[in-house]
Amino acid sequence: MYLFKSADGQEITQNDIINVFDKLNVHKAKILYIHSELSFGEPNINISRNAILSTILDTILSTGVDDILFPTFTFSFINHEDYNVRTSKTLMGALNDYARKDSRGLRSIDPIMSHVHFGKNRTLITDIGKSSCGENSTYHKIEQQDDVLFLFFGIHPSLCFTYSHFIEERLKVPYRYMQSFDGNIIDYHGERYSDTYELFVRCKDVVAGMNPEITKQAYSNGAMKEIQLGNSFIYTYDKDRISEIYIKGIKNDINFMLDGKMPATIVHQYKPSHYPVVSM
């Protein structure tokens, strides 16, 4: 039975997804990090939404990759909300929110940028620090691992490659600064407590951009691969190769990740509009 039907009438099945994964060598990764948007076509109205999501999640988990991560960001403290590790929803896509609720996964206690983990190495999301993109964060732990593949399931990397903000933090770019946020956390046991977390936020009047040069370079050095599926594509980024592009790009041009130029005067002023619930 098909899951989606594209605009040209193509019926997209579980086997189609498996075939794309095989061509992209997803199974060769040791860590798979997934951003998603189900943009492949109209869902099959004869099966439930949860059945579609369950099939996709099971397909991803069946790749045999040791560790699979889904971002389940809530930006709870930024939005002056409590963070409940069990119930706080994410708007990082329907698939990621479905993964959040799956009993096989474990979610990190990070009231700004949490992750759900499936697999062997739980330390990727446990014993993490209190800087969501900083020292001892999940991203920091990913940086130290080999054979990491970012999988963009129906969404272009330029729209959601959050690991790039970790790179900005590691390089201490001058157009961002560390901001603290306070709030309440409800943990796995239902215990409620107050805490403080940090995020490397953009300064006043700094606007993030989508530099087309990144995609161009990613293709040329083999960091990026893509295969069309229905109305959309599945993309991958190789962690080490794409990191080289970002690091070199920022060092050569501080505006590499910005829309326009960095302001002449840097003001450490946080505005909530910088961080809607669904984006950073």
Side-chain angles (χ1 to χ4, degrees):
M1 185 174 290
Y2 74 91
L3 304 175
F4 304 98
K5 182 176 286 188
S6 67
D8 63 2
Q10 176 190 0
E11 294 183 349
I12 299 159
T13 67
Q14 182 181 28
N15 283 338
D16 293 324
I17 297 172
I18 292 171
N19 289 336
V20 172
F21 286 173
D22 286 343
K23 292 176 182 177
L24 292 172
N25 291 320
V26 169
H27 58 284
K28 292 185 178 181
K30 291 181 180 177
I31 296 177
L32 191 63
Y33 187 105
I34 299 167
H35 288 285
S36 69
E37 181 179 338
L38 303 183
S39 55
F40 306 106
E42 290 296 321
N44 187 341
I45 61 172
N46 295 314
I47 53 179
S48 70
R49 177 177 180 272
N50 279 350
I52 292 174
L53 294 171
S54 176
T55 299
I56 296 171
L57 178 60
D58 287 346
T59 303
I60 292 170
L61 297 182
S62 71
T63 57
V65 176
D66 286 347
D67 296 288
I68 298 176
L69 291 161
F70 291 83
T72 55
F73 310 157
T74 60
F75 300 105
S76 298
F77 280 13
I78 295 177
N79 292 297
H80 308 291
E81 298 171 349
D82 289 352
Y83 172 68
N84 189 316
V85 68
R86 293 191 180 275
T87 64
S88 290
K89 296 180 179 180
T90 179
L91 296 181
M92 297 298 293
L95 178 61
N96 292 43
D97 196 56
Y98 185 84
R100 169 186 69 83
K101 297 176 284 187
D102 192 282
S103 61
R104 293 168 290 182
L106 183 69
R107 192 182 197 184
S108 61
I109 296 181
D110 183 331
I112 298 175
M113 296 172 66
S114 63
H115 293 85
V116 164
H117 172 265
F118 297 83
K120 298 179 179 180
N121 185 8
R122 291 294 198 200
T123 62
L124 289 168
I125 60 156
T126 59
D127 301 319
I128 57 176
K130 294 185 179 181
S131 177
S132 294
C133 283
E135 193 74 17
N136 209 36
S137 64
T138 292
Y139 288 124
H140 185 200
K141 294 185 177 190
I142 289 173
E143 179 197 38
Q144 300 171 48
Q145 302 297 316
D146 296 324
D147 301 319
V148 178
L149 201 64
F150 294 94
L151 178 71
F152 302 88
F153 192 75
I155 187 167
H156 195 277
S158 64
L159 299 174
C160 59
F161 185 43
T162 317
Y163 186 80
S164 64
H165 302 309
F166 165 76
I167 294 173
E168 289 178 304
E169 197 278 339
R170 298 298 276 174
L171 295 177
K172 305 299 180 189
V173 296
Y175 54 80
R176 285 182 178 264
Y177 71 100
M178 197 65 74
Q179 172 76 36
S180 296
F181 299 91
D182 301 320
N184 299 308
I185 293 173
I186 297 92
D187 66 15
Y188 301 108
H189 308 292
E191 297 294 328
R192 185 174 184 269
Y193 61 93
S194 299
D195 215 331
T196 301
Y197 277 71
E198 295 180 331
L199 189 64
F200 201 48
V201 300
R202 292 196 301 272
C203 297
K204 182 182 178 182
D205 298 327
V206 173
V207 181
M210 292 183 287
N211 187 345
E213 185 65 22
I214 296 172
T215 297
K216 180 180 177 181
Q217 291 184 29
Y219 280 126
S220 65
N221 85 339
M224 182 177 181
K225 296 180 180 179
E226 67 172 37
I227 293 178
Q228 185 168 6
L229 184 65
N231 295 347
S232 190
F233 290 81
I234 296 178
Y235 308 85
T236 59
Y237 266 176
D238 174 87
K239 185 259 294 181
D240 292 335
R241 291 184 178 183
I242 197 66
S243 294
E244 290 175 5
I245 292 172
Y246 275 91
I247 292 169
K248 183 178 179 180
I250 293 170
K251 287 183 175 180
N252 288 341
D253 179 6
I254 198 60
N255 301 304
F256 185 70
M257 290 182 60
L258 302 182
D259 183 5
K261 292 186 177 182
M262 184 176 68
T265 301
I266 294 296
V267 179
H268 288 189
Q269 179 180 328
Y270 161 75
K271 288 188 177 182
S273 60
H274 283 183
Y275 292 89
V277 174
V278 298
S279 171
M280 73 170 298

